[in-house]
Amino acid sequence: MGRKVILATCSLNQWAIDFDGNLERILRSIAIAKSQGAKYRLGPELDICGYGCADHFYESDTLLHCFQVLRKLLESPVTQDIICDVGMPIMHHNVRYNCRVIFLNGKILLIRPKMLLANNGNNREFRWFSPWNKLRHVEEYFLPRMIQDVTEQDTVPFGDCVLSTKDTCIGSEICAELWNPRSPHVDMGLDGVEIFTNSSASYHELRKADHRVNLVKSATTKSGGIYMFANQKGCDGDRLYYDGCAMVAVNGDIVAQGRQFSLDDVEVVTATLDLEDVRSYRGEHCHPHVEYEHKPCHRVKVDFSLSDCEDVYLPTHQPIEWQFHTPEEEISLGPACWLWDYLRRSGQAGFLLPLSGGVDSSSTACIVYSMCVLVCQAVRDGNSQVLEDVQRVVSDVSYTPLDPRELCGRIFTTCYMASENSSEETRNRAKELASQVGSSHMNLNIDMAVKGMLGIFSMVTGKCPQFRANGGSTRENLALQNVQARIRMILAYLFAQLSHWAVGKPGGLLVLGSANVDESLTGYFTKYDCSSADINPIGGISKTDLKSFLQYCVEQFQLTALKSIMAAPPTAELEPLTDGQVSQTDESDMGMTYSELSVIGRLRKISKCGPYSMFCKLIHMWREALSPLQVAAKVKHFFQMYSVNRHKMTTVTPSYHAESYGPDDNRFDLRPFLYNTRWSWQFRAIDNQMHKMFH
């Protein structure tokens, strides 16, 4: 009957500026799509160059190399007899646009520039691109000579247009356009476009996957249609992890779902759909020419069919229930995949983690173990790329990882750095966890180095600083804690560089950090201590979520050593012990609990609260537990701590982005780092409000 279509969307682990690798993955996805009978292949946003090129988008080389890759694609026999939809930056009339290039059998059909740019959160598209804001307007784009030589076309349509095949009509959206209140799919659907495509570079945040799925379902619930969603996956060179979730929906139902987290560089999701289902749905729900005035889409016609006349016996995909991960599963999988990409692409031989026996460093250790579980599973599933990568990491072409603990022993080194202020309990907790995950574990004592540093200071100044417990001032107490913390950082890097050399093995190790998002928010860490590392997989995750994650690891991985770690109060162990026991705890040092910090962090970033509006919200949120006076004291204490320590965020270790209230100074949370820490006007507003409440 000629009404059923097979469509392919994909998730690709593209890498910014890796034109060879990106080309290979695009071609592989097209080949898989064709092998499954698809006639349309949709790829992620900017899949030729990678989404995360950042200021490389300014370079003419990036544009040049994109066209060179496009030429390779146009010439490849793999791209014959299937409509291919790829992404790249293109300069038109000396203006740079984020574009989709749609081609078939060596001819470019159209170029569709992005109309609504992403410019919030981690996205800064207005820095590099301009939006195409000429609604329903199409111009001629003059192709560069290298493309003309292949396509034998001088110009192609460029602008807000749709593709009209012999049997249906296809319109493009690009990433953020789906999230926008004026999404193009609305008017396209009312004008008869039946298939919507969305090429995304959508990054992972905890508890965000359902937003994406709901938007895709909603897009076709309102006016019917087929919606294809493609996304990048993996770490393409920075703090973000793009989390796949390629999907196909029809008339408000998801019919095909890709994975959110995996080590597969190429994942293709195909679906067989009946165009008559769209027409029947719209016949009942939509009467656009009666209800709406709209300007018709510019249609680019192509002599090609997505359907086949002999399709009556072709089964169509039926609605499925989307399977969402729990937040604990997301923490286990997302950062683990990000770590694997970073490790294999960095050329290093593994990781070194200062393991203190506390919740944070234990969480990092569990994520590395989860990574090893994923690697072993991928190898068992026949993933040749993962096997090749792990053999390169361990410098053994005959190696096949089968057991996660054994793999941990090869690529993961943990180190407990004791001082005279460390307790036997934390040493034993670190040792037991290292044994259960299988890491190569070291115990060392830093007292000799600390005494050496302080000896130099005493020799020069004639002064000997003391801890507060021994009669010293607050300044002395803090300085003595910082010396211990910073020496641990120096030793971590020394062992990362030389521990493999010491046993005759090649390669260096990446140092992993373990400061959580709440500690970064308040600056409750020493600048240039063990929080200073190469990368930090938990830097965007709250303490509350990390505790839940460790409980999940006890059950999922049988890491029973975590039980005692979770039961212990969080402590930095930088002040002297009292009768051999820890006397210093994190929450007493900070003056608030970690759960209170999570609430404050969300109000500061997500709700955009300054001190006064935060106080006004918290007096209601915390009215059962705290008086307005206590709330005011906590708000003032937080903002003083935050502003005094904000400078630390300028040097904080690059962290996996996981939380929408993260304080990452790189591009997510842009703030000054030199504040007037008195906040005199703002705190006076709080005081005035309290005066009104009590008088």
Side-chain angles (χ1 to χ4, degrees):
M1 294 174 67
R3 64 186 196 180
K4 293 177 183 174
V5 294
I6 302 177
L7 307 172
T9 181
C10 52
S11 297
L12 302 184
N13 196 333
Q14 302 299 72
W15 190 9
I17 311 297
D18 177 26
F19 293 100
D20 281 314
N22 293 348
L23 170 61
E24 186 274 328
R25 287 181 284 271
I26 291 170
L27 286 172
R28 202 177 349 146
S29 69
I30 295 169
I32 294 170
K34 285 178 67 176
S35 72
Q36 296 177 0
K39 292 293 181 71
Y40 194 105
R41 175 270 182 199
L42 175 70
E45 187 173 12
L46 295 167
D47 49 346
I48 285 181
C49 56
Y51 182 78
C53 295
D55 282 0
H56 289 291
F57 284 125
Y58 289 136
E59 299 166 5
S60 60
D61 280 10
T62 303
L63 301 174
L64 168 67
H65 298 326
C66 283
F67 273 115
Q68 290 169 336
V69 171
L70 179 61
R71 175 176 174 139
K72 293 277 189 188
L73 291 168
L74 289 163
E75 291 175 327
S76 172
V78 173
T79 63
Q80 295 300 299
D81 301 319
I82 182 170
I83 297 176
C84 298
D85 187 334
V86 297
M88 59 183 277
I90 291 178
M91 191 168 276
H92 176 57
H93 294 173
N94 293 333
V95 178
R96 193 183 303 101
Y97 297 98
N98 174 349
C99 296
R100 302 305 299 172
V101 179
I102 303 175
F103 63 92
L104 170 69
N105 293 335
K107 303 283 186 186
I108 294 175
L109 304 175
L110 63 89
I111 299 174
R112 202 293 207 163
K114 192 170 184 177
M115 301 168 68
L116 302 165
L117 300 184
N119 210 52
N120 61 335
N122 283 290
N123 301 115
R124 294 287 179 272
E125 291 181 13
F126 273 100
R127 181 175 173 90
W128 309 296
F129 302 110
S130 292
W132 182 262
N133 47 27
K134 303 174 185 177
L135 192 67
R136 300 289 183 267
H137 182 71
V138 178
E139 298 177 358
E140 283 189 317
Y141 176 75
F142 285 83
L143 294 169
R145 192 174 297 121
M146 75 171 87
I147 303 299
Q148 290 182 23
D149 292 344
V150 177
T151 65
E152 299 180 344
Q153 299 166 285
D154 294 329
T155 63
V156 293
F158 185 104
D160 180 16
C161 50
V162 298
L163 187 65
S164 187
T165 64
K166 292 167 74 174
D167 51 357
T168 188
C169 190
I170 307 157
S172 299
E173 284 191 326
I174 305 176
C175 199
E177 293 174 351
L178 171 63
W179 271 259
N180 195 280
R182 301 190 67 180
S183 294
H185 71 257
V186 176
D187 284 335
M188 287 194 293
L190 294 172
D191 195 44
V193 174
E194 295 178 328
I195 300 172
F196 310 109
T197 68
N198 186 301
S199 305
S200 276
S202 177
Y203 55 84
H204 175 237
E205 278 183 356
L206 292 173
R207 306 172 178 88
K208 173 185 165 186
D210 63 314
H211 299 175
R212 191 186 293 149
V213 175
N214 290 339
L215 282 167
V216 169
K217 290 168 71 174
S218 170
T220 57
T221 299
K222 289 178 286 190
S223 60
I226 295 166
Y227 205 101
M228 302 166 63
F229 179 88
N231 195 19
Q232 187 159 309
K233 69 156 68 168
C235 166
D236 84 334
D238 64 9
R239 295 158 173 79
L240 307 179
Y241 178 80
Y242 300 94
D243 58 334
C245 290
M247 67 185 98
V248 181
V250 58
N251 297 342
D253 291 317
I254 302 295
V255 295
Q257 170 187 352
R259 285 188 288 176
Q260 186 176 11
F261 308 105
S262 86
L263 302 188
D264 296 332
D265 283 350
V266 176
E267 180 185 21
V268 178
V269 175
T270 57
T272 304
L273 303 155
D274 194 333
L275 294 172
E276 287 301 315
D277 289 341
V278 175
R279 294 158 189 166
S280 299
Y281 188 94
R282 287 181 172 174
E284 180 179 359
H285 291 81
C286 302
H287 306 283
H289 299 294
V290 176
E291 299 176 18
Y292 300 95
E293 285 186 20
H294 66 281
K295 191 175 179 182
C297 300
H298 179 97
R299 282 166 159 76
V300 176
K301 296 176 184 176
V302 57
D303 185 17
F304 187 76
S305 294
L306 298 187
S307 58
D308 192 310
C309 292
E310 305 299 324
D311 66 3
V312 68
Y313 297 111
L314 196 62
T316 57
H317 280 63
Q318 298 304 307
I320 59 173
E321 193 66 35
W322 190 282
Q323 300 300 312
F324 291 105
H325 290 290
T326 64
E328 294 78 21
E329 289 171 335
E330 290 185 80
I331 295 169
S332 175
L333 297 169
C337 292
W338 182 75
L339 280 183
W340 176 245
D341 277 347
Y342 202 101
L343 176 60
R344 69 191 179 115
R345 288 173 169 171
S346 69
Q348 299 302 298
F351 300 113
L352 181 136
L353 171 68
L355 184 61
S356 69
V359 165
D360 294 335
S361 61
S362 298
S363 297
T364 298
C366 289
I367 288 169
V368 175
Y369 182 76
S370 176
M371 182 200 81
C372 291
V373 171
L374 291 174
V375 168
C376 291
Q377 185 59 53
V379 171
R380 279 196 296 273
D381 293 342
N383 189 320
S384 58
Q385 183 64 58
V386 171
L387 179 59
E388 180 186 322
D389 288 335
V390 77
Q391 288 172 343
R392 188 175 62 253
V393 168
V394 302
S395 301
D396 183 353
V397 294
S398 64
Y399 176 63
T400 300
L402 300 173
D403 175 43
R405 291 185 74 256
E406 189 274 336
L407 177 57
C408 263
R410 286 178 177 251
I411 65 171
F412 188 31
T413 298
T414 50
C415 184
Y416 183 82
M417 303 185 193
S419 76
E420 60 188 15
N421 303 317
S422 303
S423 66
E424 196 63 34
E425 288 85 354
T426 53
R427 181 200 301 265
N428 291 336
R429 289 180 204 129
K431 183 179 178 182
E432 188 182 358
L433 179 60
S435 173
Q436 290 186 4
V437 301
S439 66
S440 175
H441 188 63
M442 296 181 286
N443 275 311
L444 58 90
N445 193 291
I446 67 169
D447 288 337
M448 187 192 312
V450 173
K451 286 182 172 65
M453 289 284 285
L454 293 175
I456 294 171
F457 179 83
S458 297
M459 196 185 331
V460 172
T461 64
K463 298 282 189 180
C464 186
Q466 299 294 320
F467 280 106
R468 184 164 42 206
N470 300 327
S473 65
T474 300
R475 181 171 293 278
E476 292 170 76
N477 194 64
L478 189 58
L480 289 173
Q481 293 183 67
N482 289 346
V483 167
Q484 298 168 72
R486 287 176 177 138
I487 282 173
R488 287 185 171 123
M489 185 269 289
I490 294 168
L491 286 170
Y493 274 98
L494 178 65
F495 277 90
Q497 286 182 294
L498 294 179
S499 59
H500 271 210
W501 165 82
V503 294
K505 291 166 64 176
L509 303 175
L510 292 164
V511 179
L512 295 180
S514 297
N516 64 58
V517 71
D518 300 318
E519 289 170 345
S520 295
L521 190 58
T522 58
Y524 183 67
F525 61 90
T526 300
K527 200 174 188 179
Y528 304 118
D529 69 346
C530 278
S531 65
S532 295
D534 292 312
I535 48 174
N536 178 1
I538 68 161
I541 305 172
S542 72
K543 192 80 159 192
T544 308
D545 280 339
L546 289 175
K547 287 181 176 178
S548 300
F549 165 62
L550 290 188
Q551 182 59 50
Y552 165 84
C553 290
V554 171
E555 298 155 10
Q556 180 73 12
F557 301 132
Q558 289 75 55
L559 300 176
T560 54
L562 296 171
K563 291 180 180 178
S564 61
I565 291 168
M566 288 186 291
T571 174
E573 286 198 331
L574 294 171
E575 293 188 36
L577 303 175
T578 303
D579 299 325
Q581 299 298 311
V582 172
S583 59
Q584 176 188 26
T585 65
D586 292 352
E587 292 185 335
S588 64
D589 277 359
M590 291 189 297
M592 59 187 68
T593 66
Y594 279 108
S595 58
E596 288 171 342
L597 258 180
S598 285
V599 173
I600 285 173
R602 285 182 164 84
L603 289 176
R604 182 198 71 100
K605 176 66 177 172
I606 301 172
S607 301
K608 316 294 188 291
C609 288
Y612 175 69
S613 53
M614 186 179 292
F615 166 76
C616 292
K617 287 182 183 292
L618 286 176
I619 55 174
H620 300 291
M621 294 171 69
W622 289 349
R623 65 181 180 275
E624 301 296 331
L626 298 173
S627 69
L629 200 63
Q630 291 171 311
V631 171
K634 284 201 183 278
V635 170
K636 291 177 180 179
H637 177 61
F638 166 76
F639 274 97
Q640 283 176 327
M641 253 202 317
Y642 159 76
S643 55
V644 164
N645 289 314
R646 180 66 193 187
H647 65 95
K648 295 179 182 179
M649 293 310 299
T650 62
T651 61
V652 75
T653 297
S655 301
Y656 179 96
H657 176 83
E659 267 296 356
S660 51
Y661 73 92
D664 168 39
D665 186 66
N666 171 258
R667 69 181 186 197
F668 183 68
D669 188 46
L670 305 181
R671 315 270 174 150
F673 55 87
L674 177 63
Y675 279 92
N676 181 338
T677 59
R678 292 187 297 276
W679 299 85
S680 53
W681 189 285
Q682 295 91 331
F683 289 178
R684 194 160 57 247
I686 293 175
D687 294 339
N688 291 340
Q689 187 62 39
M690 281 201 297
H691 182 77
K692 291 177 185 176
M693 291 169 66
F694 294 117
H695 293 86

